[in-house]
Amino acid sequence: MRIVFMGTPAFAVTSLDALIKSGCDIVGVITAPDKPAGRGQKISQSAVKEYAIENDLKVLQPEKLKDQAFLDELKALEADLFVVVAFRMLPDIVWTMPIRGTVNLHASLLPQYRGAAPINWVLINGEKESGVTTFFLKHDIDTGNLLFTEKITLTGEETAGELHDRLMNKGAGLLVKTVKGIESGRYSEYPQSQLVENEELKHAPKIFKENCLIDWNQPTDKVYNLIRGLSPIPTAYTLLNGKILKVYKVEKQETKPDIQPGHFVTDNKTYLSFATADGLLNLVDVQLEGKKRMGIEEFLRGVKL
């Protein structure tokens, strides 16, 4: 099969690499346009583009997916199948183009956690398992017929960054299995509507800054899950002396606090602990506004509370 791959971040690179190494014929790669990034606002390429150039793959970077010049160029690739991993929403005119359809890899166990941030929300909600799913695209986002699924058990301690890497590797293998299945005709489709009837759906919408503010009035487990579910990006935060303090890692303390939620105790040397509704959380890895990220002992050497 002639395959066009669509993706942008590092998560997608692992899948593209796995497809190439499995012998798939990648006739084109669609990724986000270059854009300024960092302090110097230097023009930055997507991780997928960098990989594609290194491997001599044809790259298209449309500003608008309905642009006629792009559609003509895409059609000229004569792809049998489109494969999408961590890309933007496709218009109907694009995903209906290939004869074998368009397959998407999603970092959750669909139909649960449809949306832009499944890895974060699975941890924020304290789930016991997660996984990856492949499905055929249809008009409504993340609702197409399911193809293959693979589950993983969660430890209850991993961060979003750690789960990202686990699912990135697991998803690459599942995507190869999916493409090979479509190529050989050995696959089945399962409408998500059959599963939705028996489950209460949880969603994974895009995360905004207001989602990241820590509410210390919540129980310890809920605050703990929020922090690890947002670490390292976009990062949970609290306010300390009027400044934003990003919190990347905490540890639970069994001691029952004798201070109000949101208040803290510290020896100004080795520990800084915030009270929750029913316990204490020891801050381990933090970053104060205007400073670098650091461990708590280094942080306390530079600030007195």
Side-chain angles (χ1 to χ4, degrees):
M1 289 191 303
R2 292 171 62 83
I3 298 171
V4 165
F5 183 90
M6 303 183 184
T8 297
F11 187 94
V13 171
T14 304
S15 290
L16 177 56
D17 182 61
L19 290 172
I20 289 174
K21 287 178 177 174
S22 71
C24 292
D25 183 16
I26 306 298
V27 298
V29 172
I30 317 300
T31 191
D34 300 345
K35 60 182 180 180
R39 284 189 177 179
Q41 291 293 286
K42 292 181 180 179
I43 299 300
S44 173
Q45 300 176 339
S46 75
V48 164
K49 181 181 178 180
E50 290 177 356
Y51 176 89
I53 290 173
E54 289 170 4
N55 289 273
D56 298 318
L57 299 172
K58 181 178 179 61
V59 178
L60 300 179
Q61 296 176 273
E63 288 282 352
K64 296 180 180 179
L65 295 175
K66 292 183 179 180
D67 181 77
Q68 192 57 50
F70 164 67
L71 293 174
D72 291 343
E73 203 168 1
L74 184 59
K75 193 174 295 184
L77 295 174
E78 297 181 337
D80 302 297
L81 179 74
F82 288 171
V83 173
V84 182
V85 182
F87 196 57
R88 50 186 153 157
M89 188 173 179
L90 300 180
D92 292 8
I93 196 170
V94 171
W95 64 262
T96 57
M97 192 179 292
I99 192 168
R100 297 286 194 105
T102 298
V103 169
N104 191 192
L105 171 68
H106 190 71
S108 82
L109 300 174
L110 289 174
Q112 294 295 349
Y113 293 101
R114 294 169 176 163
I119 293 174
N120 304 102
W121 286 107
V122 160
L123 298 183
I124 290 170
N125 290 339
E127 299 289 0
K128 299 293 189 289
E129 66 177 14
S130 184
V132 283
T133 306
T134 52
F135 65 98
F136 278 123
L137 279 191
K138 62 182 290 188
H139 180 72
D140 294 325
I141 192 165
D142 297 338
T143 60
N145 289 353
L146 304 183
L147 291 164
F148 296 96
T149 297
E150 192 156 345
K151 295 181 180 181
I152 63 169
T153 301
L154 300 176
T155 66
E157 297 179 355
E158 64 266 86
T159 64
E162 291 164 346
L163 180 56
H164 169 281
D165 291 351
R166 289 182 70 189
L167 295 181
M168 177 175 69
N169 294 312
K170 188 73 71 175
L174 189 70
L175 191 59
V176 170
K177 176 182 177 180
T178 300
V179 170
K180 296 297 184 183
I182 293 171
E183 192 168 33
S184 65
R186 290 194 290 268
Y187 70 93
S188 299
E189 295 183 49
Y190 305 93
Q192 292 191 43
S193 56
Q194 294 180 357
L195 301 172
V196 170
E197 294 173 0
N198 303 319
E199 297 185 49
E200 179 184 344
L201 290 186
K202 297 174 184 176
H203 300 283
K206 184 177 179 180
I207 291 175
F208 297 95
K209 188 174 181 180
E210 53 264 31
N211 301 123
C212 302
L213 178 62
I214 298 170
D215 180 1
W216 298 105
N217 292 297
Q218 296 292 329
T220 297
D221 284 346
K222 194 160 186 178
V223 178
Y224 179 78
N225 289 338
L226 176 76
I227 291 168
R228 69 189 182 94
L230 297 174
S231 179
I233 295 173
T235 323
Y237 72 93
T238 190
L239 295 176
L240 189 66
N241 293 343
K243 290 188 175 182
I244 291 176
L245 180 70
K246 291 184 176 181
V247 183
Y248 293 90
K249 185 177 181 181
V250 291
E251 291 176 346
K252 298 177 187 178
Q253 186 174 318
E254 299 302 323
T255 310
K256 195 79 173 174
D258 56 3
I259 55 175
Q260 294 298 310
H263 292 224
F264 63 82
V265 289
T266 181
D267 62 356
N268 276 312
K269 293 180 181 179
T270 60
Y271 72 86
L272 172 60
S273 304
F274 273 80
T276 65
D278 59 0
L280 285 169
L281 284 171
N282 300 327
L283 275 58
V284 175
D285 190 359
V286 299
Q287 183 178 7
L288 188 63
E289 185 178 338
K291 303 289 184 179
K292 67 174 185 177
R293 179 177 170 178
M294 60 188 77
I296 198 62
E297 290 189 16
E298 182 183 0
F299 169 75
L300 289 172
R301 281 199 295 270
V303 59
K304 296 302 177 199
L305 302 173

